[in-house]
Amino acid sequence: MLLAFAIVGVQAEQLTTKAPKALLYEPASGTVLFAKDADVPFAPGALVKVMTAATVFKALSDGELTQDQLCTVSEHAWRTGGAPSGRGATMFAAIKSEISVEDLLKGLLVHNGNDSAIILAECLDGSETAFADRMNALAAEIGMANSNFGNPTGYEEAVSTTTVRDQVRLGEYLVEEHTERYSMFAIPEFTWNNIFQRNKNPLLGEIRNLDGLGGGAHSEDGYSGLGSIDRNGRRIIAAVAGLTSDNHRLAALKEIFEGTWEFYAVKTVFTAGETVAEGRVFGGVDGTVPLISEADIDVFLPRGGTLEYRLRVVYLGPLVAPIAAGTPAGELQVIGQDGVVHRAPLVTGASVPEGGLVGKALDSVQELLFGWIG
């Protein structure tokens, strides 16, 4: 059943960006503030390493690894991702040495080390290919519906694809599910093998309050970035892709992050317990039941107006009596120009006892002749 509410069409200034692909998200309210080609795939390059970190974090949480567990540096990891490779960032891990998982994660997240990524993959699954399978399983589990990862480094010989929507979902997963380890993304520097290196995240220190996550570049798909900031107690996550340089990537992320506070504010659409809609009931003493939210429905919306946002209630109906108050019954969707920007669960706001045989018969006749209209 769909119950659509009127469109509100007050004009307001809009956030814009030159980034070909972008998504801005506020996780506390679950609001998509801005979206632009958010589901168009791109190759992430070294941004893959954020997914590599998430995969290792999950293995640590699941007890498959421990932080002090030692991993051996294979010749493959050393030659392919280390100093001999000449392929960019490395933690300078020595061949055949043993390094703890914790230090390898620092090498991955601070040094952006290709060797770190390969060593962790081999330590957990024996090969990059097997680890990539694990990455893809986690991506599917957390709702990254349009991503596929070919290796833990982002090297272009193995195809990896993702979207800015999936990257923002990954950022949300890291912030919410790995809160303690998330702080590793903001470690300012790390010394390994007597070599001092500052954090290589090109966004860190350039955007106020940013504490993660990473950037990447691809020969054809350009520069991409995933950032997360915590400002005034509110977390915002954003991703951009398709930029022509690291400076353009930084400018695009700055633009949309700062636009959050310039163009948007929290608005309470419905208060806790307020009736959002009436749901139809089959076989009950009452023909309808109020659908409510158990908490205030707060949504980030434009300050100067609502830019043709509309509200829609979706529920599987009719609801069959008897119905207890507080039964999950559907959701409220806030829909903007780019689709659903916010979802809030709804429950029944009252109990509806089962009706008599006559009432059930009349409900059956109505359903047969007319169907159920929400």
Side-chain angles (χ1 to χ4, degrees), residues 123-136:
C123 189
L124 189 54
D125 288 312
S127 71
E128 292 184 73
T129 301
F131 184 79
D133 290 340
R134 181 188 289 262
M135 295 169 74
N136 290 323

Side-chain angles (χ1 to χ4, degrees), residues 268-275 292-298:
T268 300
V269 180
F270 289 97
T271 58
E274 183 180 355
T275 298
I292 67 169
S293 173
E294 294 181 308
D296 289 353
I297 299 178
D298 295 328

Side-chain angles (χ1 to χ4, degrees), residues 10-84:
V10 181
Q11 273 301 313
E13 289 188 74
Q14 291 191 65
L15 174 65
T16 60
T17 178
K18 293 180 181 178
K21 305 172 186 69
L23 190 131
L24 180 65
Y25 180 70
E26 197 275 317
S29 69
T31 308
V32 176
L33 303 177
F34 178 84
K36 181 180 179 182
D37 283 345
D39 298 307
V40 176
F42 67 93
L47 188 58
V48 161
K49 290 169 187 168
V50 178
M51 187 68 200
T52 299
T55 306
V56 176
F57 286 176
K58 185 176 189 302
L60 285 166
S61 296
D62 291 346
E64 293 186 75
L65 291 174
T66 62
Q67 287 201 159
D68 57 0
Q69 182 174 331
L70 298 178
C71 300
T72 301
V73 181
S74 70
E75 183 173 350
H76 169 72
W78 178 69
R79 289 192 181 280
T80 307

Side-chain angles (χ1 to χ4, degrees), residues 109-129:
L109 299 177
V110 180
H111 298 165
N112 198 28
N114 294 308
D115 49 358
S116 315
I118 298 171
I119 298 162
L120 284 164
E122 292 180 336
C123 189
L124 189 54
D125 288 312
S127 71
E128 292 184 73
T129 301

